[in-house]
Amino acid sequence: MSNNDIKALRHSAAHLLGHAVSELFPGTLLTIGPATDDGFFYDFLPIRGFKEEDLITISQRMQELAAQNLPLEHKEISKKEAREIFKDNTFKLELIDQIPGETVGLATQGTFYDLCRGGHVASTGLLKNFKLLAISGSYWRADKTKAVLQRISGTAFFTAEELEAHLKHKEELALYDHRKIGKQLDLFSFHQEGVGFPFFHPKGQLIIKTMKRYMENLHQENNYQEISTPTMLSDELWRRSGHYAHYKDKMYFSTIDEQSYAIKPMNCPGAILTYNTRPRSYRELPLKLAEFGHVHRHELSGVLHGLMRVRAFTQDDAHIFCTLDQLEQEISTVLRLTFAMLKKFGFEKVNLAVATRPANSIGSDELWEKAIAALKNALTKADIPFSIKDADGAFYGPKIDLDIEDSMQRHWQCGTVQVDFFQPENFDIGYIASSGKRERPVMVHQAIYGSLERFFAIVLEHHKGNLPFWLAPVQARIMTITDEQKPYAHTVLATLKKAGIRAELDASSDPLNGQIKTAQLEKIPWMLIVGKKEVAQETVTLRNLDGTQEMGIPIKNLIEKATQLTN
Ligand SMILES: [Zn+2]
Ligand SMILES: [Zn+2]
């Protein structure tokens, strides 16, 4: 079935919902009922608020109407006729006024009719595989100043199997929602006192720190130098960089000594000022300035979503200043780092695309051609397949978009590699070439995680909370069968800690089963069990989170194993 057909099916299911509601709750005003990406909804002005249990009654009525196999008919009628039919529904009247032309579409099934532009299945008999999912609030025209409506949403498929698979998938997504895992594992929280600003608890902060340290190492090994630039910088700077013009609505402002300042929404201007503090020689290029920049962006409260969408986050930013001839080499390095990182975090499915020159862009043809060739060559030489997003680059340069697929088949747009011809001109960035002439470098904006907070959330969901050993905030917990083994357990703990393993001792007096249960809930990758035999042999029994066990491991071997899993 084509995508179009499923849209027709779901739109028809919305009609069926409207039909059932208008029969069960006469007087309810119907507004709009479109298909969405994964289902459909209908917005109503109800005579009384819908309750959760109404969904059952409505579903039953919908099933009955589906069983009647009513043909769905569609015809064009004059606006005059339509205004007469919908004279008691101000919403439909408003829609009729807004439809261009002299006629509007009317959909009919049995005694029910609805204003509609068309695109249906043939009869209600095809609509048996649906499920109503939620009642929520909405506004007419999504406008808070307009009528408050109630939305009933659901989904529909052609077959019962497809519907069931979809519902199961949704259940899985809800089960492994990072907000839920974050709470369960005590990683982070949000508070009314700072809407959209995450608080990281000790274990969450440890994960963020570990992610940072990993990226710091990649940076160091590849000749990036870390800088730190201020959180607040003058308005003037943001006006010059263009952020003010394009981004003002998302920026926070404050005043210092009667001068207006903005909290940085991006780190680029800071890196540029750092570069421009003195004349640069071609010998210094490529100059790669990395910064874990904490940026603030005002997102509307309605779109905030755990760590996925916040108002303050940390970027693993880097700005590369290089010559056009060095660009390909630098892009190759960025790609190498990106793939190393993705592998480390357990992502295997990655899609890359090169976004090319859009209309109304700046820079010469030669500059664009060379830069795009550099991006493509770097990908080709690394044997990385990619697609082309034609004319989808920014007005100031081409870029590589990176999309990763997680374990639940969702796609996430993560890091970017963005070439920039604009800021070097705008901020008069230069270097002295070997000829002695002042030349313009190319600038590249690089972020591999993108937002650390968001990437953290994606990783949590991807692994369903079972973080890989190297990233787990507590890597090992030692458990004893009786208190007799406690002294030996303390020795093991000290040895593991000394080796850099994040280990703990279960100090409770719970029986072993209880201790295991607790560690499982906390998703600790290694449970190290110590009994009489282990003490005598100076070993431990390793129980993994999946329940597999390895008996009698000497501590030295355990440390080796940990090192292997970490590097
Ligand atoms: Zn329709
Ligand atoms: Zn930047």
Side-chain angles (χ1 to χ4, degrees):
M1 292 290 174
S2 77
N3 204 25
N4 220 0
D5 291 331
I6 190 97
K7 282 251 155 151
L9 179 89
R10 287 169 180 167
H11 172 64
S12 307
H15 278 303
L16 192 66
L17 168 60
H19 190 169
V21 166
S22 57
E23 282 190 6
L24 292 167
F25 305 93
T28 299
L29 293 188
L30 278 61
T31 71
I32 54 160
T36 59
D37 281 346
D38 62 355
F40 62 89
F41 68 80
Y42 215 120
D43 279 355
F44 302 101
L45 182 69
I47 35 163
R48 67 143 174 88
F50 291 120
K51 299 188 209 77
E52 226 29 59
E53 56 264 33
D54 292 333
L55 292 185
I56 300 166
T57 327
I58 298 167
S59 286
Q60 276 165 357
R61 187 62 196 142
M62 285 170 74
Q63 283 299 357
E64 285 162 17
L65 293 167
Q68 288 172 19
N69 201 18
L70 304 165
L72 271 73
E73 278 149 10
H74 189 264
K75 61 176 180 184
E76 288 290 312
I77 57 168
S78 73
K79 281 192 167 176
K80 188 163 171 266
E81 209 180 323
R83 284 192 190 98
E84 183 53 32
I85 293 173
F86 295 103
K87 65 176 188 299
D88 298 325
N89 186 326
T90 56
F91 303 105
K92 297 286 185 193
L93 288 175
E94 195 180 319
L95 291 173
I96 293 166
D97 286 342
Q98 279 175 358
I99 296 167
E102 283 317 300
T103 62
V104 293
L106 186 77
T108 314
Q109 57 193 49
T111 57
F112 174 75
Y113 45 82
D114 204 350
L115 191 66
C116 170
R117 100 166 58 99
H120 302 129
V121 294
S123 68
T124 61
L126 293 161
L127 301 172
K128 287 172 186 152
N129 303 303
F130 69 85
K131 170 108 178 151
L132 297 184
L133 297 165
I135 303 170
S136 57
S138 65
Y139 297 98
W140 174 237
R141 301 284 190 199
D143 183 341
K144 275 187 186 172
T145 65
K146 300 208 160 119
V148 180
L149 307 174
Q150 265 191 314
R151 172 171 301 180
I152 298 181
S153 45
T155 192
F157 285 85
F158 284 100
T159 68
E161 292 74 32
E162 285 170 302
L163 175 64
E164 202 180 311
H166 175 81
L167 294 176
K168 219 180 136 201
H169 183 64
K170 279 197 76 144
E171 227 171 76
E172 200 183 24
L173 294 187
L175 193 59
Y176 301 114
D177 187 310
H178 75 280
R179 293 168 296 184
K180 202 174 158 190
I181 299 173
K183 204 168 194 177
Q184 198 184 333
L185 301 184
D186 190 18
L187 303 177
F188 56 85
S189 57
F190 286 90
H191 300 266
Q192 272 313 309
E193 289 80 355
V195 175
F197 302 137
F199 285 61
F200 285 97
H201 301 190
K203 284 178 185 167
Q205 181 63 8
L206 230 165
I207 297 170
I208 290 279
K209 258 271 164 63
T210 309
M211 288 172 65
K212 274 190 183 172
R213 220 171 279 144
Y214 173 72
M215 191 54 69
E216 270 165 23
N217 284 339
L218 285 185
H219 282 158
Q220 266 170 25
E221 287 161 15
N222 290 280
N223 304 317
Y224 289 74
Q225 303 174 73
E226 193 172 323
I227 58 169
S228 170
T229 67
T231 299
M232 293 176 78
L233 291 163
S234 80
D235 251 27
E236 262 162 62
L237 178 73
W238 300 109
R239 283 177 200 273
R240 182 167 178 191
S241 69
H243 289 94
Y244 191 88
H246 297 284
Y247 228 73
K248 192 178 62 181
D249 294 344
K250 291 206 165 184
M251 290 164 66
Y252 298 108
F253 294 91
S254 188
T255 306
I256 302 176
D257 292 342
E258 283 153 51
Q259 205 194 335
S260 181
Y261 273 68
I263 298 179
K264 63 176 174 184
M266 290 188 191
N267 306 301
C268 331
I272 293 168
L273 293 188
T274 308
Y275 179 96
N276 272 349
T277 40
R278 62 178 170 79
R280 302 284 180 176
S281 149
Y282 70 94
R283 289 192 195 85
E284 289 179 77
L285 304 190
L287 186 73
K288 310 197 265 192
L289 302 177
E291 175 171 23
F292 289 104
H294 194 230
V295 297
H296 286 68
R297 294 181 190 172
H298 183 75
E299 300 285 355
L300 295 176
S301 59
V303 302
L304 296 174
H305 178 87
L307 294 177
M308 296 282 189
R309 199 88 178 255
V310 287
R311 285 176 173 166
F313 58 95
T314 311
Q315 291 180 306
D316 61 324
D317 230 337
H319 291 95
I320 303 170
F321 302 89
C322 65
T323 67
L324 197 52
D325 290 337
Q326 291 168 337
L327 188 58
E328 183 184 323
Q329 179 60 44
E330 289 315 304
I331 300 296
S332 296
T333 305
V334 179
L335 290 172
R336 190 159 45 73
L337 302 193
T338 304
F339 277 83
M341 182 284 272
L342 292 174
K343 190 168 170 229
K344 184 86 179 166
F345 284 86
F347 293 100
E348 277 151 20
K349 293 183 184 164
V350 186
N351 295 305
L352 290 105
V354 174
T356 62
R357 185 172 195 174
N360 304 322
S361 45
I362 58 143
S364 68
D365 287 348
E366 197 202 351
L367 203 55
W368 275 88
E369 274 160 30
K370 278 195 171 170
I372 291 170
L375 300 185
K376 287 184 180 172
N377 287 343
L379 285 158
T380 308
K381 284 182 189 164
D383 229 354
I384 301 166
F386 61 95
S387 59
I388 300 286
K389 286 188 184 167
D390 208 24
D392 202 35
F395 77 91
Y396 51 85
K399 61 175 173 171
I400 298 178
D401 278 336
L402 180 83
D403 159 291
I404 59 177
E405 188 183 320
D406 72 9
S407 62
M408 291 180 276
Q409 293 86 46
R410 288 172 305 175
H411 287 260
W412 303 99
Q413 174 94 45
C414 282
T416 48
V417 193
Q418 170 76 60
V419 180
D420 191 340
F421 307 133
F422 172 70
Q423 296 299 5
E425 292 287 336
N426 187 34
F427 280 95
D428 191 22
I429 301 172
Y431 69 92
I432 308 300
S434 56
S435 63
K437 250 178 72 191
R438 189 169 188 271
E439 302 275 1
R440 192 78 75 205
V442 174
M443 184 174 174
V444 179
H445 307 261
Q446 159 195 336
I448 296 183
Y449 291 132
S451 147
L452 265 84
E453 288 78 354
R454 182 167 173 273
F455 196 78
F456 178 13
I458 294 170
V459 168
L460 269 183
E461 296 192 1
H462 175 60
H463 291 286
K464 303 178 175 173
N466 299 313
L467 291 175
F469 181 84
W470 72 275
L471 196 57
V474 178
Q475 296 174 308
R477 182 171 291 162
I478 305 165
M479 305 165 187
T480 59
I481 293 174
T482 70
D483 281 349
E484 257 173 63
Q485 294 97 39
K486 283 266 157 47
Y488 170 71
H490 275 288
T491 325
V492 175
L493 178 67
T495 313
L496 295 183
K497 277 190 164 177
K498 211 173 150 196
I501 298 170
R502 296 187 289 272
E504 294 178 351
L505 180 67
D506 189 321
S508 73
S509 45
D510 293 344
L512 186 61
N513 273 347
Q515 296 181 51
I516 290 174
K517 190 89 201 282
T518 309
Q520 279 170 340
L521 284 175
E522 291 176 35
K523 299 181 182 293
I524 297 171
W526 281 6
M527 292 164 239
L528 305 176
I529 302 166
V530 172
K532 251 186 196 160
K533 203 166 130 197
E534 283 80 9
V535 175
Q537 295 175 341
E538 297 196 3
T539 62
V540 296
T541 287
L542 166 62
R543 187 187 165 96
N544 296 297
L545 208 43
D546 63 7
T548 55
Q549 293 204 144
E550 293 164 68
M551 319 249 263
I553 305 185
I555 310 306
K556 193 177 98 222
N557 297 14
L558 198 68
I559 291 170
E560 258 166 38
K561 206 178 163 85
T563 312
Q564 273 169 19
L565 286 172
T566 305
N567 296 325

